[in-house]
Amino acid sequence: MHSLTPLHTFGLSARSKKLISVDNDFSILKSIDAPLWILGEGSNCVFLEDFDGTVIKVDSKGKTIKEFSDYFQLTVNSGENWHQLVCFCMQNGIFGLENLALIPGSVGAAPIQNIGAYGVELNQFIKQVVCIDIDSGEQQVLANEECKFGYRDSIFKRQLAGKVIITQVVLHIPKRWQACNHYGELAKLKQPSPEQIFAQVVAIRQAKLPDPKDIGNAGSFFKNPLVSNKHFASLQCDWPDLPCYSVDHNSVKVPAAWLIDHLGLKGKQIGGIQCHPSQPLVLTNNGTGSGAELLEMARHIQAKVESTFSIHLENEVNLIGNKGLVKL
Ligand code: EPU
């Protein structure tokens, strides 16, 4: 048995039968029996208990840059660290990813949940995602449209979940840079440079979000829910200060942090699991928490939000039981 505790940032105690590190040769995949879990840096996966199969840790490193007249093309292997890639771009005058600074995790995991922060989502920069079909060993190249990106969503979470392993991500970053500083505290920056946005995003994240190095967590535990305009209008009668972000003509996105905060659940503890006191969308593990306690906390929050606001919160993190993904 191999310990998974240091391999996922939530840090629950868990083991797997087998653990295999893969760099650039993915041919081994064909000979591995299910259940199989593919892991990057483990910042969006929580192992709730021992995993009854093989965990593949993706460690493939390397990147190339090609310069074209109006954009840079970056081809990055999936085991690279996301934040280091953002820093590399900043140092080399390639701007656009600065709003996505300090998001934990690997490059290969980033398209799966279409990482996003402060008004920017990764899919704005993705040209292609290269992956290998686990059963056949064949390489597949998916163009941006084929990845079916949505808010914290992609084909890799749906039809292709568990079927492919992402080996490379190809980004196109336009040379013409435009600041994206409309979100929250970024709006106070007037005509900011890319470096100023980068510094501000790093400062906000460091101030608000707990560092997994200090306390176990996996970032936002829930997604921000979509609600219909009609439902939102009825909620506003009872909670006039309920914020929302526009999505389309029919629906708005509501901050789950506000709903949880409003229920007085900030700081709530169940055993070693806590609802974070300054960003309640994040659940933490003080090192003694268990999978059962985490499920109890998540279900408690979900039930309270459902009964008060008639809104169903979906988990954003992958919850992994002994055979694979489990539902809340
Ligand atoms: N809020 C409260 N009380 C709080 C905290 C927040 O009411 O204690 C409300 C406020 O109205 C605030 C709003 O929630 O304006 C939004 O809060 P915040 O800007 O912190 O962002 P979020 O919606 O909670 C999302 C992402 C984060 C991302 C930030 C910034 C999701 C699930 N989460 O959080 O992503 O960093 O926006 O863009 O979309 C992650 O995915 O792991 C993650 C951290």
Side-chain angles (χ1 to χ4, degrees):
M1 295 294 268
H2 301 265
S3 174
L4 298 172
T5 307
L7 297 182
H8 67 135
T9 60
F10 207 87
L12 294 177
S13 174
R15 297 168 301 170
S16 67
K17 274 195 178 155
K18 274 194 187 167
L19 174 67
I20 300 175
S21 219
V22 181
D23 42 34
N24 289 314
D25 178 11
F26 290 89
S27 59
I28 189 163
L29 290 175
K30 279 192 277 182
S31 55
I32 296 171
D33 295 329
L36 179 72
W37 186 264
I38 295 157
L39 193 65
E41 295 184 13
S43 53
N44 204 46
C45 295
V46 178
F47 290 101
L48 297 165
E49 57 186 338
D50 287 349
F51 182 67
D52 198 11
T54 306
V55 170
I56 307 278
K57 173 98 177 73
V58 180
D59 272 329
S60 61
K61 299 280 195 272
K63 56 181 168 300
T64 56
I65 309 175
K66 272 192 188 171
E67 186 170 353
F68 293 87
S69 57
D70 51 358
Y71 64 91
F72 293 99
Q73 173 172 297
L74 274 78
T75 303
V76 192
N77 285 349
S78 48
E80 290 283 337
N81 173 270
W82 173 260
H83 179 65
Q84 280 171 19
L85 177 69
V86 176
C87 294
F88 170 85
C89 289
M90 296 302 292
Q91 284 151 13
N92 288 280
I94 302 173
F95 303 127
L97 302 182
E98 53 282 345
N99 296 54
L100 305 178
L102 223 58
I103 296 183
S106 66
V107 168
I112 300 176
Q113 53 148 339
N114 188 20
I115 57 170
Y118 309 103
V120 173
E121 283 185 347
L122 178 65
N123 67 303
Q124 294 168 231
F125 300 98
I126 287 193
K127 177 68 180 167
Q128 291 172 336
V129 176
V130 183
C131 44
I132 289 179
D133 182 289
I134 293 175
D135 284 339
S136 68
E138 298 283 316
Q139 180 172 290
Q140 284 183 26
V141 180
L142 278 84
N144 182 307
E145 314 76 65
E146 293 175 295
C147 298
K148 300 189 181 153
F149 290 118
Y151 164 63
R152 293 298 191 277
D153 198 22
S154 74
I155 194 167
F156 308 107
K157 279 183 116 170
R158 295 176 183 267
Q159 293 95 321
L160 294 185
K163 295 198 164 68
V164 297
I165 181 164
I166 294 174
T167 56
Q168 278 184 331
V169 177
V170 183
L171 304 176
H172 277 191
I173 306 189
K175 286 187 177 172
R176 226 174 101 174
W177 178 79
Q178 257 196 320
C180 177
N181 60 328
H182 57 79
Y183 186 96
E185 287 170 59
L186 291 187
K188 67 182 180 204
L189 301 174
K190 299 293 170 223
Q191 299 192 321
S193 66
E195 288 83 3
Q196 282 170 319
I197 294 187
F198 175 86
Q200 187 67 23
V201 168
V202 167
I204 299 171
R205 291 191 80 98
Q206 284 176 339
K208 288 207 173 151
L209 294 168
D211 186 337
K213 286 195 202 94
D214 302 327
I215 184 148
N217 76 88
S220 299
F221 190 89
F222 297 103
K223 289 194 212 177
N224 284 330
L226 278 184
V227 300
S228 68
N229 290 341
K230 197 173 159 208
H231 187 176
F232 185 73
S234 75
L235 289 167
Q236 266 191 319
C237 297
D238 292 328
W239 295 279
D241 56 344
L242 173 62
C244 72
Y245 313 108
S246 65
V247 172
D248 55 35
H249 290 311
N250 307 318
S251 50
V252 293
K253 201 157 69 178
V254 169
W258 190 96
L259 305 174
I260 302 169
D261 189 355
H262 220 76
L263 293 168
L265 294 170
K266 264 176 153 177
K268 181 181 170 62
Q269 274 177 297
I270 296 181
I273 305 297
Q274 188 179 31
C275 177
H276 195 264
S278 59
Q279 185 17 308
L281 198 49
V282 178
L283 304 182
T284 62
N285 166 26
N286 70 5
T288 67
S290 67
E293 288 165 357
L294 175 61
L295 288 178
E296 191 183 332
M297 174 71 91
R299 286 175 179 148
H300 177 75
I301 293 172
Q302 217 181 23
K304 284 259 183 188
V305 168
E306 189 114 36
S307 64
T308 310
F309 303 104
S310 304
I311 290 178
H312 178 71
L313 288 187
E314 276 177 43
N315 48 309
E316 202 258 317
V317 298
N318 292 307
L319 298 172
I320 307 153
N322 62 350
K323 296 272 185 277
L325 274 185
V326 296
K327 290 199 165 179
L328 251 196

